[in-house]
Amino acid sequence: MDKKKTFFISTPIYYVNSHPHLGHAYTSVVADAAARFRRLMGEESFLLTGTDEHGEKIVQTAAGEGVSPRELADRMSAKFRALLPRIGVEHNRFIRTTDPEHQAAVQRFMQKVYDNGDIYFGEYGGHYCYGCERFYTEKELENGLCPQHRSAPTYISERNYFFRMSKYQDWLKQHILAHPEFIRPERYRNETLALLDSGALEDLCVSRPKSRLDWGIELPFDKNFVCYVWFDALVNYISALGWPEGKPFAGYWPEARHLIAKDILKPHAIFWPTMLRAAGLEPFRSLNVHGYWLSRETKMSKSLGNAVDPLGMIEVHGLDVFRYFLLREMRFGSDAGFSEEALIARRNSDLANDLGNLFSRVLAMAARYCGSRVPAPAEYGAEEIRLRELALRSFTIFQEEFAGFGFSVALEALWELVRSLNQHVDASAPWNLFKQGKTAELETTLYILLECLRKIALHLWPVMPASAGRMLEQLGSSLPLPYVFPHSLREERELFGLLKPGAILAPSSNLFPRLESPDREGPLPAKSKGTSAKKVPVTPEARELPGQAEYSDFQKLDLRVGCILEAEKHPEADKLLICKVDLGEEEARVIVSGLAEFYKPGDLAGRRVIVVANLAPRKLRGVSSQGMILTAETGKTLALLAPDGPLPPGAKVS
Ligand code: ME8
């Protein structure tokens, strides 16, 4: 058997001096989606994440809270770890820089660079930003301030160890030029090249005297110093794989992809590759840099007080909607604004209207015309062939974009297909094929729609694992756990027609219910103080009522605008009328309603009404009623409810 290809992806290891927020959740969700995608492509993937626990920042925060750095690190690291299952991230390793194996690996790494002659002892004075935990050169400061924190750095002069980083400047530049995908998107590659050309690359101070800071990893060659936090943290990417002897290191390191936001470009694009080179190791394969989530137009961050709690969003909208939004809304590499309104808009348009609607329409037609079994297709006509080609093309684009971190473009390609399929349902009008007795054409059309939906669900699994699983299940094609996919996505690109005729389908589905607007006032839930799910603030009116219906209860109702085509008296009941109502479907519905005391049958033709369209059919005095016409009544009078405008039959009421 061929050895499986490997794929290694890392998130930054997060500082334990602040709580996880939406920005951290985004990077971890991206890493998870990328790792799941590779698994679907038939590769062996490894996702690494964890926490960065040494350094001055942690000491300062711990002192502020009156606890030891160790206590702070234990508590906060647990919070970052607990977030992972709640945002659907399946990681292979959660590393902490206080893990003994990591500390030993950092010492070995340092010793190696030292033995190679690339660490020397010297005196240095420089502008130090405590927020960034690094020295800035004069050129890098903006108006004398740290460009990240907008605060004045502290001038520090002391004797320390230095890494001969400048020695590797030319090598790094050549490596970046020779490997276009080494740093991407391109703007960050250009930024790094510009930084190298500006001559800002000096040697890097890699120690801190213990007299000033002792919360760190001791240098193997001088016990009076600890290792600079970035030199310690970056090594996590190889220590987690068991470097130097570990088997995972040999298998995964050649395929290493790092994922970061642009705030930590320099340490990853410049410090890390030169460190690896000095230790005689191969560079990673690619550094993938995303932009910032902004909130109120500035970078979301705990210190600015504008951080969004991912758990609050998940509680209201569900995990899959949240993950879909993150991956669809942010163009990888650029900044994106976060607002709950934007999330609701995507939820309603992409998920409820486009995908959810297509899925429920196709299942309903399969129920009506094929007894909820996958039909066997006949020979494809020109239109079916066009649709199949369109679908396979969209899956190819999806896969290429997803592999290159172009998540939003990949999803847009998939949605173009979803929209085309919805149009195809309208154009091919399966209900007419049914009426005309064109069974073979009808079954072929439905088969193609169902097979496309199966493939769409499969491609969505990295983004929305639970919903994709439910879709596949409802298509009679459930996933054997732990996710054994019979064919890799790559193979799926060539194969069409894997859905088995005869498989049992769900009769209906409501995967993504619409939501009109946030059901609360005020701003988004702020950063959480912990990882436990918080109740979203409710308005004062939202008090408990007796017999109260949950929002989700209401969402179960499918209310539609209808038009009464004709009405007649029920032969068996004086109070009932039998109405034929157009709901924009292929056939008018028969609805029995208690209107006879208030309306003459002849007066009702042409009246717009509101109908509960998804009530289970019920027999009323021998006539099956397929819905309910809504009325308002006082006991003496009764009136039909109608829309206050010219809406077509079938328009949704919400
Ligand atoms: O920098 N938008 O840790 P950190 C998008 N320990 N992503 C964001 C974000 C935002 N507004 N805010 C944070 C560190 N992130 C170091 C890393 S790695 C060897 C050491 C995400 O806790 C994004 O991934 O400050 C960013 O790079 C990271 O959190 C910074 O996390």
Side-chain angles (χ1 to χ4, degrees):
M1 218 176 83
D2 280 354
K3 238 180 98 215
K4 271 193 172 183
K5 254 187 97 176
T6 53
F7 176 79
F8 171 82
I9 186 142
S10 64
T11 73
I13 47 172
Y14 305 113
Y15 283 132
V16 288
N17 66 333
S18 81
H19 291 265
H21 61 65
L22 186 127
H24 305 111
Y26 172 73
T27 314
S28 300
V29 164
V30 166
D32 180 71
R36 285 176 191 263
F37 171 74
R38 294 294 177 150
R39 272 160 72 187
L40 271 183
M41 294 294 271
E43 298 175 22
E44 199 86 65
S45 70
F46 190 109
L47 192 167
L48 170 67
T49 186
T51 43
D52 189 355
E53 306 184 4
H54 291 127
E56 299 174 9
K57 250 203 297 225
I58 311 302
V59 172
Q60 282 170 2
T61 308
E65 291 188 18
V67 297
S68 68
R70 162 67 68 180
E71 277 174 278
L72 176 75
D74 286 349
R75 173 162 49 83
M76 295 306 295
S77 178
K79 286 191 192 301
F80 277 96
R81 187 194 287 258
L83 179 68
L84 297 172
R86 304 188 67 174
I87 54 176
V89 173
E90 290 183 350
H91 60 285
N92 297 80
R93 172 85 201 267
F94 186 95
I95 192 167
R96 300 181 56 182
T97 51
T98 47
D99 289 341
E101 317 85 74
H102 169 76
Q103 309 210 38
V106 170
Q107 288 181 327
R108 284 181 81 161
F109 189 92
M110 274 237 140
Q111 188 68 52
K112 212 158 185 256
V113 180
Y114 185 74
D115 292 345
N116 289 348
D118 282 337
I119 289 180
Y120 63 91
F121 196 59
E123 174 125 17
Y124 182 75
H127 305 282
Y128 194 75
C129 170
Y130 283 95
C132 299
E133 299 253 19
R134 75 173 179 92
F135 284 102
Y136 276 89
T137 59
E138 296 275 357
K139 276 189 197 151
E140 286 177 302
L141 297 177
E142 287 171 12
N143 298 326
L145 301 178
C146 158
Q148 296 277 345
H149 293 87
R150 303 264 148 229
S151 55
T154 310
Y155 191 84
I156 293 182
S157 169
E158 62 192 13
R159 287 177 72 72
N160 262 312
Y161 286 91
F162 291 84
F163 166 47
R164 241 180 262 284
M165 194 159 72
S166 52
K167 175 176 156 188
Y168 295 99
Q169 170 149 350
D170 291 342
W171 166 80
L172 181 57
K173 188 173 170 190
Q174 290 317 316
H175 187 80
I176 296 173
L177 290 174
H179 299 85
E181 297 204 338
F182 187 58
I183 301 170
R184 58 188 183 181
E186 205 178 343
R187 73 170 78 163
Y188 300 110
R189 177 173 185 260
N190 294 339
E191 204 174 297
T192 309
L193 286 170
L195 204 63
L196 287 171
D197 285 341
S198 75
L201 195 63
E202 298 175 348
D203 288 349
L204 182 68
C205 177
V206 292
S207 66
R208 298 290 179 266
K210 272 194 188 170
S211 53
R212 183 156 74 76
L213 173 79
D214 67 354
W215 179 240
I217 301 173
E218 195 177 280
L219 295 191
F221 42 81
D222 190 337
K223 63 180 172 23
N224 294 318
F225 290 83
V226 294
C227 179
Y228 166 49
V229 68
W230 270 105
F231 216 85
D232 158 358
L234 288 161
V235 172
N236 95 88
Y237 298 133
I238 57 171
S239 71
L241 291 173
W243 175 83
E245 290 91 11
K247 223 172 125 198
F249 177 73
Y252 285 111
W253 185 246
E255 295 300 332
R257 271 87 168 166
H258 297 311
L259 186 61
I260 57 165
K262 60 187 180 182
D263 52 345
I264 48 179
L265 178 66
K266 185 174 177 186
H268 283 81
I270 294 184
F271 301 178
W272 183 222
T274 54
M275 282 165 66
L276 285 163
R277 181 81 180 166
L281 297 173
E282 286 300 309
F284 47 85
R285 181 167 277 247
S286 66
L287 177 64
N288 303 277
V289 189
H290 63 77
Y292 292 150
W293 280 101
L294 311 174
S295 171
R296 289 178 240 135
E297 277 153 47
T298 37
K299 181 189 175 202
M300 193 181 292
S301 88
K302 165 121 196 296
S303 51
L304 296 175
N306 63 349
V308 171
D309 171 18
L311 296 176
M313 284 298 122
I314 291 168
E315 192 179 355
V316 178
H317 299 283
L319 176 55
D320 280 0
V321 172
F322 174 73
R323 285 175 60 114
Y324 173 79
F325 175 77
L326 293 186
L327 290 167
R328 176 65 186 83
E329 189 76 4
M330 179 177 265
R331 195 165 264 271
F332 194 84
S334 309
D335 294 348
F338 185 91
S339 79
E340 193 177 17
E341 286 69 27
L343 186 148
I344 291 173
R346 285 252 172 243
R347 169 183 173 156
N348 285 344
S349 68
D350 299 8
L351 297 176
N353 285 3
D354 292 341
L355 180 62
N357 189 31
L358 173 69
F359 195 54
S360 74
R361 282 173 101 186
V362 173
L363 284 185
M365 289 190 292
R368 193 169 275 205
Y369 308 130
C370 309
S372 287
R373 297 237 169 209
V374 176
E379 203 159 312
Y380 294 172
E383 179 56 16
E384 281 79 23
I385 292 174
R386 184 192 73 81
L387 216 56
R388 184 185 59 192
E389 296 315 310
L390 186 81
L392 293 179
R393 208 169 37 249
S394 118
F395 297 131
T396 304
I397 297 174
F398 179 94
Q399 291 180 22
E400 280 165 3
E401 287 293 338
F402 218 90
F405 292 77
F407 308 106
S408 61
V409 183
L411 287 166
E412 181 49 31
L414 210 58
W415 253 255
E416 265 178 37
L417 173 64
V418 169
R419 288 190 285 267
S420 299
L421 294 176
N422 260 324
Q423 283 160 11
H424 180 70
V425 173
D426 296 335
S428 63
W431 44 93
N432 287 337
L433 298 175
F434 179 71
K435 268 195 217 148
Q436 294 156 11
K438 293 185 175 166
T439 313
E441 266 181 57
L442 170 68
E443 294 189 345
T444 308
T445 300
L446 285 181
Y447 183 85
I448 294 213
L449 291 166
L450 288 163
E451 169 68 350
C452 283
L453 281 166
R454 184 190 67 80
K455 281 177 174 288
I456 289 170
L458 214 53
H459 283 80
L460 280 178
W461 183 73
V463 180
M464 300 193 283
S467 305
R470 229 173 303 134
M471 278 179 82
L472 288 168
E473 215 171 270
Q474 296 180 347
L475 288 165
S477 165
S478 63
L479 290 179
L481 288 170
Y483 322 119
V484 184
F485 294 94
H487 297 277
S488 76
L489 271 197
R490 209 184 297 278
E491 292 167 312
E492 285 272 352
R493 226 146 94 165
E494 314 293 327
L495 298 168
F496 196 90
L498 292 175
L499 192 61
K500 289 216 171 40
I504 298 175
L505 301 162
S508 62
S509 177
N510 188 12
L511 284 174
F512 306 108
R514 281 180 66 86
L515 183 66
E516 280 322 314
S517 60
D519 55 354
R520 77 188 101 89
E521 289 171 349
L524 300 169
K527 73 255 176 260
S528 76
K529 279 272 175 211
T531 51
S532 65
K534 278 218 172 143
K535 278 261 173 274
V536 171
V538 290
T539 57
E541 300 84 344
R543 60 192 186 276
E544 285 281 319
L545 297 169
Q548 175 169 283
E550 291 301 322
Y551 194 80
S552 57
D553 294 329
F554 173 70
Q555 284 178 312
K556 283 186 198 152
L557 294 183
D558 184 19
L559 299 175
R560 300 271 168 178
V561 172
C563 176
I564 300 183
L565 301 175
E566 56 186 70
E568 60 182 11
K569 288 201 158 182
H570 193 302
E572 305 292 331
D574 292 346
K575 292 188 177 168
L576 298 180
L577 291 184
I578 303 172
C579 305
K580 276 204 176 152
V581 185
D582 178 4
L583 286 184
E585 298 167 328
E586 57 273 35
E587 268 176 41
R589 301 256 192 131
V590 173
I591 301 181
V592 181
S593 187
L595 302 173
E597 282 184 64
F598 306 95
Y599 292 93
K600 290 199 192 100
D603 294 343
L604 286 175
R607 293 287 295 260
R608 301 269 139 161
V609 285
I610 304 295
V611 172
V612 184
N614 62 342
L615 268 192
R618 192 168 154 211
K619 275 207 167 163
L620 292 169
R621 297 285 181 95
V623 178
S624 174
S625 178
Q626 303 164 324
M628 179 193 280
I629 295 174
L630 293 185
T631 57
E633 57 192 299
T634 60
K636 285 194 198 115
T637 57
L638 177 145
L640 291 167
L641 294 189
D644 180 24
L647 288 172
K652 195 160 167 52
V653 179
S654 49

